[in-house]
C-alpha cells in the first residue's frame, strides 16, 4: 500500500532499438504532380504548357551505414510507376492541323545518396542523385494512321524524408522528392516534330524491411 509522503518514481521511457546499418528493401505509394512544356512543329510551332497529377507507387532498395556520431550514410535505388488512369498518366497532348500527340509517363527511376541523422528508433535524411524517366508518345495522324514511340530522359532528383522504426525489422517513412529531366524530341511520320521537357514531384509513404 502507498505510504503517506511516499515519492512516486516514473519509469524511464525505453526507446525501441533499430539497427539502421545494412541492406533493406521496400515499397512506396504516394501522390505525384508536375508540369510539361511541349512544342509541336507542323511545320509552324504550336506551344503547350500542361499540369498533371495522380497516384503512383513503386519499390526501392538500399544500404545504410551509421557512424559512431549517429551520422547516416546511404545509397538507394527506386522505381515509381504512375496510375494508368488517362487523366493521371497524360503529361501533355499538343495538336496541330495535321497531327496530334499524346505523351504519357511510363516510369520514373533514380539512384540517390542519402545523408542523415539516426537515432535508435528514427532518422531524418536528405537525398539526391541521378534520375531517369520513360515516356510513351502516341501520335494520331490525319487519315487514321498511328505511331508509338518510347523516349527516355535523364536528369536529377533531390528531396528529404523521415523514417520511423515500427519493430526490429520494419520501418515506415514519409518522403518528398523533386525530379528535373532534360528534353525529349520525337519526329512523326508526317514530318512533324515534338519537343518537350518536364519536372515531377512526389510526396509518398513507404515501408522498408531490413534484410
Amino acid at each position: 500500500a502507498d505510504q503517506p509522503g511516499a515519492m512516486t518514481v516514473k519509469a524511464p521511457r525505453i526507446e525501441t532499438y533499430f539497427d539502421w546499418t545494412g541492406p533493406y528493401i521496400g515499397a512506396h505509394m504516394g501522390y505525384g504532380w508536375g508540369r510539361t512544356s511541349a512544342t509541336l512543329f507542323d511545320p509552324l510551332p504550336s506551344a503547350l504548357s500542361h499540369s498533371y497529377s495522380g497516384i503512383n507507387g513503386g519499390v526501392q532498395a538500399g544500404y545504410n551505414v551509421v557512424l559512431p556520431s549517429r551520422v547516416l550514410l546511404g545509397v538507394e535505388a527506386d522505381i515509381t510507376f504512375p496510375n494508368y488512369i488517362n487523366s493521371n498518366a497524360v503529361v501533355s497532348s499538343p495538336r496541330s492541323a495535321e497531327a496530334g500527340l499524346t505523351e504519357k509517363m511510363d516510369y520514373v527511376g533514380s539512384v540517390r545518396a542519402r545523408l542523415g541523422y539516426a537515432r535508435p528508433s528514427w532518422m531524418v535524411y536528405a537525398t539526391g542523385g541521378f534520375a531517369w524517366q520513360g515516356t510513351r508518345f502516341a501520335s494520331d495522324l490525319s487519315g487514321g494512321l498511328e505511331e508509338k514511340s518510347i523516349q527516355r530522359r535523364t536528369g536529377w532528383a533531390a528531396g528529404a524524408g523521415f523514417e520511423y522504426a515500427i519493430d526490429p525489422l520494419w520501418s515506415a517513412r514519409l518522403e518528398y522528392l523533386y525530379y528535373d529531366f532534360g528534353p525529349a524530341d520525337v519526329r512523326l511520320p508526317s514530318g512533324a516534330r515534338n519537343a518537350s521537357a518536364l519536372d515531377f514531384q512526389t510526396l509518398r509513404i513507404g515501408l522498408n524491411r531490413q534484410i
Side-chain angles (χ1 to χ4, degrees), residues 31-162:
Y31 186 79
W33 66 96
R35 191 167 187 83
T36 307
S37 297
T39 303
L40 184 61
F41 299 88
D42 189 30
L44 298 176
S46 176
L48 171 73
S49 183
H50 178 70
S51 296
Y52 61 94
S53 62
I55 297 170
N56 57 70
V59 295
Q60 69 270 353
Y63 191 94
N64 294 320
V65 174
V66 179
L67 305 179
S69 61
R70 297 187 184 273
V71 170
L72 179 137
L73 304 175
V75 62
E76 180 175 291
D78 72 327
I79 187 163
T80 300
F81 302 93
N83 184 342
Y84 273 86
I85 299 173
N86 260 357
S87 60
N88 294 342
V90 173
V91 298
S92 73
S93 53
R95 298 196 64 86
S96 70
E98 298 296 329
L101 194 72
T102 300
E103 180 180 355
K104 293 185 177 182
M105 182 183 297
D106 278 348
Y107 60 84
V108 177
S110 68
V111 176
R112 295 171 281 103
R114 297 207 297 173
L115 174 65
Y117 176 78
R119 296 288 301 179
S121 63
W122 58 267
M123 72 162 172
V124 292
Y125 61 89
T127 182
F130 176 75
W132 63 95
Q133 186 258 0
T135 301
R136 185 178 302 272
F137 294 88
S139 64
D140 55 277
L141 309 175
S142 58
L145 298 176
E146 183 181 69
E147 184 191 49
K148 294 183 179 179
S149 176
I150 295 176
Q151 298 285 322
R152 292 176 179 84
R153 294 180 172 95
T154 59
W156 56 269
F162 172 81

